[in-house]
Each structure stands twice: as C-alpha cells, then as structure tokens.
Amino acid sequence: MQTQKLKNRWLIAASAVGIHISIGSVYAYSVMTNPVKDIFDVDGSVIKWAFKIAILLLGLSAAFLGRWVEKVGPKISGTTAGLFYGIGILGSGLAVQLESLTLFYLCYGVIGGIGLGLGYITPVSTLVKWFPDRRGLATGMAIMGFGFAALIFGPVMQSLFDAVGVSNAFYILGSIYMLLILSSARYIEKPPEGYMPDGFKLGEGKKIKADISNIDANASLKTSRFYYIWIMMFINIACGIAIISAASPMMQEKLNYTPMEAAAIVGLIGVFNGLGRIMWSSLSDYLGRANTYIIFFAFQILAFFFLPKISMELTFLVVLFTVITMYGGGFATLPAFLGDLFGTKQLGAIHGMVLAAWGLAGVVGPTIYDVVKNATGSLDTTLEVFAGLFVIALIVSLLMKRTVNQAYKKIDKKLNFV
C-alpha cells in the first residue's frame, strides 16, 4: 500500500490565512469611498451600496454554494474564489476608468461578493479536518486574517490612490488579491480520510472528544441545534455591526471626542475585532463552545445596557473593545462549534447556510439603530433595545447548552454500553 505524503497542517493554516487576508480587504471599503464618490460625482451613501451588495452576496453565495464547495474540494473552490474576487476588483478599476456606476456595482458588489462568499467558507471545513484537536485555534487563525485585513490593506489602498490614481490602484490590488488567493489555493487540500495528528492515533493515549453527529446539510436543517446557532449568530452580528457602524458619532456624543479622535478609535476597533477572533476561538477549545457564547451574551446584556451611562473614558473604551472582541470571536468560534454539532461531512455547506445570518444582520442591525435613535433621540434607549436582543440570545444559548449536554450524555452512555 502506497502511503500518501502528508502536507504540513500549519502551512495549510497559513494558506487559509492568505485567502482570508485577501478577501478581508473588503473591511477597508471606507478608505475607497471618498476617492470613488469624487470620480462618480455622487454622495458617499450611493457608493456604499457596492459594499452592501458585496456583503449580501457574501451571505447568499456562502449559503447556496456551500454544497458545491464540499463537492469539488478547497483547491477548486479556492481557485474560483480567487478568480471571482480578483476579476471583481479589476473590473471595479475598469468601471472607475469608464465612470460607469452600474458596472462598479456589478463588479465590486456582485462578482466580488461571490468571490467573498466562496473564499470565506473554502478553507474553514478543511482546517477543522486538519485540526480535530484544536479546531478553535485553527479556524480562529484564518478568520483573524479576515478581521486584520483592513489594517494591512487600508493604508496600502490609500497609498496607491495617492500614487497611481484610483483605477490603477484597483488594477494593482485586484492582481495582488488574485495572486495571493490562487497561490494559497494551490497548497490547500483535505487531509486523508480518518486523519489524526501525532499523539492522537490509536494506542497513543490522547483522545479527541467525539462530534455530536456527522450529518449532511439537509439533515442539519431538521435539528433544533441549527436554528439555535443561526439565531445566536444573527443577534451577535446585528448588534455588533450596529455598534461598529455608530462608533464614531457615539464617542463624539458620550466622550466629547473630536471626529479625528473618534476615527482613531474606529481604527483600534479593527485591532480588537481581529484579536477577538483568535483569542475567543482558541479559548473555546478549553471553555467549551456553548459556554463561550453564553459568556458573550451575558456580558453584552450588561455592556449594551450600561455603555451609554458610563462617563469614565477608560471604562467606556474597555467595555466597547471587549464587545468588539466578542463580535469577532463569534465569527471565529462558529466553524469549530458547527464541527462539534454536525461533524465534518458537509461542514462548508452548513457554515454557508448559517452565514446567511450575516447578510441579513448587516442590514437589520444598523437599521434598528437608526430607526430607534431617530424616533427617541436617546442613545440609552437605542442600546437598551440591543441589550434586550441579547437576553433572547442568552436564553437560546442556554437551550443550546442543554441540548449539547443531553447529546453528549447519550454518546457517553452508548460508549459505556459498548
């Protein structure tokens, strides 16, 4: 029997980071808003529609193409993601050059958005299979790349806009993203069937906790666990995006910051978003996935309720940044949790269906914030509404915890019986 030479799983993880850092550049969209709106001679809110379309398509393509990603494997889906995202950015450069707003929406929003969705889910189920012993750490590393990308590409974008002009900047960025994603996709692949890392193989002493089930995407839809995790993610994302989108005016209102000081804090929000992804997902390997989400929601009920009442600058910022780490941590802990709940059979497809919550929450969260704030004129009342949503999330997470405990009891009983 010919033994297959194993690839280095840490280089697989590095390849996943390469894909996520490239597509995560979408979080630096605000850097391009002003230069692009000046060329099209429209308001910034009109240009932001390309971003909204891209995030919507991220959620939709992740939901509807997840099964295809599982079927063809990470190499093909990663290559496809690189082509879509790269062509989307290159096409955006052409749209700017031709001054066609419709073409800009199509290229950045639709084509780029499909690349985003494919690129986001492609490495995740593969990483979970390579790291059965440290699922949270592995998926956290990749998804941290998505969170940190704005810090890397934001300044690069601005420098390119100043140095070579807007359309040429898009051409250069599109080429960089495509090259980085395509080269990362060449290395990434699934491990052999039944792969276990050293020290965990039969007779070597260490054991990995069994998954609750190993089912396909259709079967997952028939479980309460799927709907629990969907609701938990929807609320965490809706509330997190709402506070991120309102962070600058909130700090100007509550801490009397100047717009420039508030902008600096918005930059730090990106740092804590990224740090939360690796920190919380790694901790979830030890705390347990369900417990990690319970901590998120219990803290954020108090944080959203008391945040507008805090007048001490340091305390306000500590609470705000902790909330942001939990927003990012929710994304990074999700794939590992889905692996625990549903196994790795069609993890990419299930992950994609749950990410549909992202596309919806990205619209609902900021809309609730704007509607309540405009109607009441009160930041206190606005954030109290979100605190109420977190009460619902906490109840759902406790139901999830009970379901998980019951499932593991059944598994233990079966193993003891055998």
Side-chain angles (χ1 to χ4, degrees), residues 384-396:
E384 281 166 11
V385 170
F386 288 109
L389 286 174
F390 276 122
V391 171
I392 297 169
L394 179 61
I395 292 167
V396 173

Side-chain angles (χ1 to χ4, degrees), residues 104-416:
F104 187 74
Y105 287 158
L106 175 67
C107 291
Y108 194 95
V110 179
I111 299 172
I114 292 168
L116 281 174
L118 285 174
Y120 194 93
I121 60 174
T122 283
V124 169
S125 64
T126 304
L127 277 181
V128 168
K129 289 166 189 166
W130 276 104
F131 289 84
D133 53 327
R134 296 197 222 172
R135 283 178 172 173
L137 171 67
T139 57
M141 281 190 297
I143 294 173
M144 176 188 68
F146 195 93
F148 272 137
L151 289 174
I152 298 165
F153 282 111
V156 170
M157 278 181 197
Q158 192 59 59
S159 301
L160 285 172
F161 288 148
D162 294 341
V164 297
V166 178
S167 58
N168 287 332
F170 275 114
Y171 294 144
I172 293 167
L173 289 166
S175 303
I176 291 170
Y177 300 148
M178 193 184 289
L179 188 63
L180 193 50
I181 297 172
L182 292 180
S183 56
S184 297
R186 277 185 63 79
Y187 190 81
I188 198 166
E189 67 179 33
K190 292 178 183 176
E193 196 69 36
Y195 166 79
M196 283 288 165
D198 292 339
F200 289 86
K201 290 164 189 164
L202 203 60
E204 291 183 344
K206 296 180 187 174
K207 286 186 180 177
I208 290 166
K209 197 171 186 180
D211 295 331
I212 289 173
S213 59
N214 193 29
I215 56 179
D216 63 23
N218 286 338
S220 74
L221 289 171
K222 295 171 185 171
T223 68
S224 59
R225 299 192 296 274
F226 177 87
Y227 300 98
Y228 288 158
I229 194 73
W230 202 97
I231 292 166
M232 287 157 59
M233 287 304 298
F234 175 79
I235 292 174
N236 199 54
I237 296 167
C239 299
I241 284 182
I243 209 163
I244 286 171
S245 66
S248 177
M250 190 195 307
M251 283 177 290
Q252 291 176 55
E253 180 182 329
K254 297 308 294 184
L255 301 180
N256 296 317
Y257 275 19
T258 65
M260 187 57 73
E261 288 169 335
I265 298 298
V266 169
L268 280 176
I269 281 174
V271 175
F272 283 95
N273 186 356
L275 288 175
R277 290 166 189 248
I278 187 69
M279 181 186 79
W280 285 111
S281 58
S282 300
L283 278 173
S284 76
D285 287 334
Y286 304 97
L287 297 172
R289 248 63 87 173
N291 291 337
T292 303
Y293 281 96
I294 288 169
I295 292 167
F296 287 170
F297 302 139
F299 178 84
Q300 288 182 100
I301 289 168
L302 299 173
F304 275 72
F305 186 82
F306 287 109
L307 193 63
K309 300 169 180 65
I310 298 171
S311 53
M312 283 179 60
E313 181 183 16
L314 182 61
T315 309
F316 184 97
L317 293 176
V318 167
V319 172
L320 176 66
F321 290 147
T322 305
V323 165
I324 297 303
T325 68
M326 292 175 172
Y327 168 76
F331 281 111
T333 308
L334 173 64
F337 200 7
L338 293 175
D340 298 346
L341 296 172
F342 305 112
T344 56
K345 190 175 184 179
Q346 281 198 336
L347 181 58
I350 297 168
H351 187 213
M353 291 191 302
V354 176
L355 284 181
W358 189 357
L360 190 59
V363 176
V364 172
T367 303
I368 291 174
Y369 184 97
D370 291 339
V371 168
V372 178
K373 182 78 161 57
N374 291 338
T376 64
S378 165
L379 185 62
D380 290 56
T381 307
T382 307
L383 293 192
E384 281 166 11
V385 170
F386 288 109
L389 286 174
F390 276 122
V391 171
I392 297 169
L394 179 61
I395 292 167
V396 173
S397 67
L398 291 169
L399 290 171
M400 173 70 93
K401 169 76 174 170
R402 189 182 70 173
T403 306
V404 167
N405 286 346
Q406 287 170 346
Y408 277 125
K409 273 180 191 169
K410 280 184 187 172
I411 291 169
D412 290 342
K413 213 179 261 183
K414 201 181 281 185
L415 290 173
N416 290 333

